[in-house]
Amino acid sequence: MVVIPAIDLRRGRVVRLRRGDPEAETVYGDDPVAVARRFEEAGARRLHVVDLDAALGEGGNREAVAAICRAVHARVQVGGGIRSVGTAKELLAAGAARVVLGTRAVLDPAFVREAVAAAGDRVIVALDVGAGRIRVEGWREEGPPLEEALAALEAAGAPRFLLTATEADGTLGGPDLELYRRVVARTDRPVIASGGVRDAADVRALAELGVEGVVVGRALYEGTLRLEEVAG
């Protein structure tokens, strides 16, 4: 299982939100490229970069995303506000290894089919789950039930899923193991977990569930988890 450090971008800075709340923001740096290089030096083979401004409809950090992709050898998966195949292609051309589709994919599974036709296995579909339903539009609105969305997205050809427990995200309170266990049992597609990881024990618990990888943010920034403990 691969541990994937998260680099969330807002107004050009590296931040973390608590449970996706833009009002609960902690700033961890104003040089995203330096943060990416630091993670790579610590052993990261993949990075998870999210353009929060694009996701929230408040602008974008496209230049910072491209700069990260140019600066590291680690494979970068990019998400946040990708609502067209054209945007996905632009990000891939800028150096992203994979693109993460969220709101539009969940609300319009045909978009997933179109994106997969254009980019194949370089597509990841985000399932941001709160109270059994998918959260959309930067987690501000409620979407379809998890099981309904999962079935529709599988039928549309989603190659893999990024599954986030929104209530746990950014809390350091531990991952929602039951959520990941349930989804891994329901799909034959690879699942990447995200949300709530605090330490190496949480990473090991997720590995035992059979997830392909885990995105980790605040734990790495706060030092409750060292990438060197789990990178491999």
Side-chain angles (χ1 to χ4, degrees):
M1 185 183 76
V2 60
V3 175
I4 310 170
I7 301 175
D8 291 356
L9 303 176
R10 194 172 188 215
R11 303 188 184 102
R13 302 177 300 178
V14 178
V15 307
R16 292 299 292 165
L17 307 183
R18 181 180 174 87
R19 294 174 176 152
D21 182 0
E23 301 302 316
E25 174 187 282
T26 304
V27 178
Y28 288 102
D30 57 8
D31 187 343
V33 167
V35 172
R37 285 176 170 156
R38 188 162 66 246
F39 282 138
E40 184 173 53
E41 289 167 2
R45 293 180 286 126
R46 290 187 178 274
L47 297 173
H48 179 73
V49 177
V50 178
D51 187 338
L52 291 175
D53 291 314
L56 296 167
E58 298 175 353
N61 297 273
R62 186 72 65 83
E63 290 183 7
V65 170
I68 290 171
C69 293
R70 290 193 301 268
V72 297
H73 296 291
R75 293 170 63 81
V76 180
Q77 58 190 48
V78 178
I82 303 174
R83 293 181 169 85
S84 73
V85 171
T87 298
K89 286 181 174 179
E90 288 170 6
L91 289 166
L92 293 170
R98 287 175 174 159
V99 288
V100 182
L101 311 181
T103 292
R104 188 179 169 195
V106 170
L107 300 179
D108 178 17
F111 172 53
V112 174
R113 195 180 306 280
E114 183 184 0
V116 171
D121 190 57
R122 301 176 78 183
V123 171
I124 302 172
V125 176
L127 299 172
D128 302 322
V129 183
R133 301 186 74 94
I134 307 297
R135 306 299 301 182
V136 296
E137 301 294 351
W139 298 4
R140 293 171 296 188
E141 297 181 14
E142 190 175 85
L146 168 59
E147 289 77 9
E148 177 185 312
L150 184 63
L153 291 163
E154 282 184 324
R160 59 180 22 84
F161 295 108
L162 171 65
L163 179 64
T164 300
T166 61
E167 288 302 305
D169 193 65
T171 67
L172 296 179
D176 185 344
L177 296 177
E178 181 53 38
L179 172 65
Y180 303 120
R181 182 180 293 109
R182 188 166 83 246
V183 173
V184 167
R186 291 182 66 95
T187 182
D188 61 356
R189 314 298 162 84
V191 174
I192 301 169
S194 177
V197 168
R198 174 179 174 80
D199 53 28
D202 288 338
V203 173
R204 289 192 292 270
L206 287 164
E208 290 173 1
L209 295 181
V211 298
E212 179 184 64
V214 55
V215 172
V216 182
R218 190 177 294 270
L220 294 173
Y221 293 104
E222 298 286 347
T224 62
L225 173 69
R226 293 172 58 251
L227 191 57
E228 292 87 345
E229 296 178 81
V230 291

